[in-house]
Amino acid sequence: MSVPLWLFIACIGWVGIKLVRPPLWLVLVLLIGGYLLADSFLAPAIDTATK
């Protein structure tokens, strides 16, 4: 069975939010911050660090 990566990450995120119950503002800050970092000049450094 092959599951798309985005679906796997969404499921893990949903389970994490249900179990840990972080504040909504923290979830939004992490999502927006990750999106902005992925398109910044730090993207090559993040890419090499995550490989």
Side-chain angles (χ1 to χ4, degrees):
M1 183 169 131
S2 179
V3 178
L5 180 61
W6 64 267
L7 181 62
F8 176 74
I9 292 173
C11 290
I12 294 298
W14 182 77
V15 169
I17 288 172
K18 290 295 181 185
L19 291 177
V20 179
R21 300 260 186 218
L24 182 61
W25 65 266
L26 181 61
V27 173
L28 291 176
V29 165
L30 289 174
L31 287 174
I32 293 171
Y35 178 76
L36 292 175
L37 277 176
D39 198 29
S40 71
F41 67 94
L42 295 173
I46 295 170
D47 189 40
T48 57
T50 56
K51 284 189 177 182

